[in-house]
Amino acid sequence: MIIKKAELETVCGITSKFPENSEPELVFAGKSNVGKSSLINALMNRKSLARTSSQPGKTQTINYYKVNDEIYFVDLPGYGYANANIETKAKWGKMIEKYLHTSKQIKCIFLLIDIRHEPGKNDKQMYDWILHNGYQPVIIATKLDKLKRSQVAKCVKIVREGLGLPKEGVLIPFSSQTKQGKEEIYDFIENLLAGEQI
């Protein structure tokens, strides 16, 4: 997969109407400090198109990035942000749920989990919620570069078991620092768009 063009096309807040796109949408969900923006930037070969921040919870909108004029990367607000009040969290939840129910172009939901830790309560809730909405999430285990090579298999097993991911469920370890896992994600997307795994 060669990225020739990528741009932020639409930003939707809590009261916004979602665009009715005709191109496939690949959705990215994850905790607010899991490295979602870094992953999206790495996949788009951009340093800062998706805003990264040392302050978690920066993405409070649904952001649509058009890639190669043929697909969208859709960045959902990070969940589990401790400093967001209950009312704000509830609004984000409703906005995400509305998006999942109204978009007709969602082809895949990538759920990002920090590979160093057992999935937390919010991660499990999000995983179950995605399943409940009729999608089988693809797990991207981020921050791979923080582990020694000898730790990877054990940590992958912990993530799989913690979520209850079935054997056939896809899990791709990824590092935004070394870009390890990037080609695997590209391959998955190419196969998906070719109709092999939709």
Side-chain angles (χ1 to χ4, degrees):
M1 186 173 181
I2 299 166
I3 306 296
K4 295 175 181 168
K5 187 179 174 187
E7 59 189 347
L8 175 60
E9 186 175 278
T10 310
V11 176
C12 290
I14 286 163
T15 57
S16 304
K17 187 176 183 291
F18 297 126
E20 293 180 15
N21 296 321
S22 54
E23 294 85 357
E25 294 174 1
L26 307 178
V27 183
F28 295 84
K31 220 181 323 194
S32 52
N33 58 350
V34 77
K36 199 153 43 66
S37 298
S38 298
L39 167 71
I40 293 170
N41 282 328
L43 292 178
M44 294 190 298
N45 292 327
R46 298 290 188 274
K47 281 207 169 84
S48 57
L49 191 53
R51 276 171 40 206
T52 58
S53 173
S54 56
Q55 182 189 350
K58 204 73 178 164
T59 306
Q60 298 178 14
T61 50
I62 296 179
N63 298 334
Y64 293 75
Y65 298 92
K66 194 162 195 185
V67 178
N68 288 351
D69 288 329
E70 59 185 17
I71 56 173
Y72 284 95
F73 288 171
V74 181
D75 185 11
L76 299 183
Y79 57 82
Y81 178 43
N83 286 358
N85 63 37
I86 290 168
E87 187 185 348
T88 303
K89 285 178 184 174
K91 283 180 180 172
W92 289 352
K94 281 181 183 160
M95 177 168 68
I96 294 169
E97 190 162 26
K98 185 180 166 196
Y99 165 70
L100 294 180
H101 287 165
T102 55
S103 173
K104 296 178 175 62
Q105 295 301 328
I106 298 171
K107 298 301 177 201
C108 178
I109 299 178
F110 293 101
L111 177 59
L112 280 63
I113 305 286
D114 188 329
I115 196 169
R116 299 170 299 172
H117 308 295
E118 185 179 348
K121 184 181 164 194
N122 287 322
D123 294 320
K124 291 174 190 171
Q125 281 178 344
M126 191 66 182
Y127 177 79
D128 291 340
W129 194 44
I130 293 169
L131 287 177
H132 178 72
N133 279 282
Y135 300 96
Q136 175 60 57
V138 172
I139 307 304
I140 297 182
T142 61
K143 305 188 189 274
L144 178 60
D145 51 283
K146 309 283 189 193
L147 294 181
K148 292 176 182 162
R149 194 172 290 179
S150 60
Q151 299 172 300
V152 174
K154 181 188 170 192
C155 289
V156 164
K157 187 169 182 272
I158 289 170
V159 171
R160 275 188 175 277
E161 289 176 353
L163 291 173
L165 187 67
K167 269 186 184 169
E168 68 277 9
V170 180
L171 185 151
I172 303 172
F174 172 79
S175 164
S176 61
Q177 297 296 316
T178 66
K179 307 299 184 280
Q180 191 176 339
K182 181 177 169 180
E183 290 304 322
E184 282 180 73
I185 298 169
Y186 277 166
D187 288 347
F188 181 88
I189 291 171
E190 283 182 342
N191 291 336
L192 182 77
L193 297 177
E196 293 179 22
Q197 297 180 36
I198 293 176

